[in-house]
Amino acid sequence: MSQSMIRTSISVRQLVLQQIQSIPEDLFDKQPPQFANTIRWNVGHIAFCLDYFLSLGLQLSSSVPDSYASFFHTGTKPADWTAIPPSKEELVQYLSTQLASLSEISPDLLEKNLESPIEMGPLRFETVGEVFNFAFIHETMHFSTIACLLKVLQYEREEGK
């Protein structure tokens, strides 16, 4: 079971990377009024959160810079940024680095209990695998948001807005 979780996570990240690489960077910072954030924010949030979630249960060294928290942590938004955010190329590099590290995770690690359960609102995680699974459920939610943002932005571009 744990091996299939790892294979699924790799597939999810490959799909995310394929989609992101196909999006022109000039669309990364456009924010339609119907959305709380931009494509760049969602991409960075995916990288930041995977790093965070995996650090809760796995002894992995962080691959994303500390500065990513000020850009992409839950509750942040581009309107509040006071520094230049990472480029598309940099974000893709971190997502790719994370993808490579997924295949190095031992399935046995996912079966281990956390030192203490983690609670996030109504959610409770007791094993490393539960946090791992949630990380990729979370990633697919933002993957979907990016797809929706892209559709709106492409529509607006075609309509000349």
Side-chain angles (χ1 to χ4, degrees):
M1 180 60 127
S2 295
Q3 187 62 46
S4 66
M5 289 167 44
I6 293 168
R7 282 195 301 269
T8 299
S9 72
I10 290 169
S11 296
V12 167
R13 180 50 65 90
Q14 288 170 332
L15 291 168
V16 167
L17 273 165
Q18 182 181 10
Q19 180 190 49
I20 291 165
Q21 289 170 322
S22 73
I23 301 170
E25 190 164 8
D26 69 306
L27 296 179
F28 266 49
D29 297 306
K30 297 190 184 307
Q31 185 175 336
Q34 304 88 339
F35 291 85
N37 282 301
T38 61
I39 290 173
R40 186 178 315 275
W41 184 89
N42 279 276
V43 172
H45 185 69
I46 287 171
F48 173 78
C49 286
L50 182 64
D51 223 51
Y52 171 74
F53 287 132
L54 294 187
S55 75
L56 296 176
L58 302 171
Q59 303 301 317
L60 298 175
S61 58
S62 176
S63 66
V64 299
D66 292 340
S67 64
Y68 275 38
S70 65
F71 290 113
F72 306 119
H73 201 296
T74 300
T76 60
K77 59 183 185 279
D80 295 338
W81 292 348
T82 57
I84 296 171
S87 67
K88 172 185 172 180
E89 182 181 337
E90 181 180 323
L91 291 167
V92 166
Q93 176 187 341
Y94 283 112
L95 292 172
S96 298
T97 299
Q98 289 174 331
L99 172 61
S101 70
L102 292 174
S103 60
E104 297 171 11
I105 295 172
S106 165
D108 295 339
L109 284 174
L110 299 182
E111 301 300 327
K112 292 190 177 203
N113 287 327
L114 295 167
E115 288 182 23
S116 59
I118 297 169
E119 296 189 17
M120 292 184 195
L123 305 175
R124 180 179 170 92
F125 307 115
E126 296 187 11
T127 68
V128 174
E130 289 170 345
V131 174
F132 186 84
N133 271 341
F134 179 76
F136 286 95
I137 290 168
H138 175 264
E139 183 156 333
T140 59
M141 290 166 41
H142 286 279
F143 176 58
S144 177
T145 299
I146 291 167
C148 292
L149 265 163
L150 185 58
K151 283 181 184 179
V152 169
L153 292 171
Q154 287 171 331
Y155 173 79
E156 288 179 350
R157 182 181 272 174
E158 289 169 10
E159 295 297 310
K161 294 180 181 179

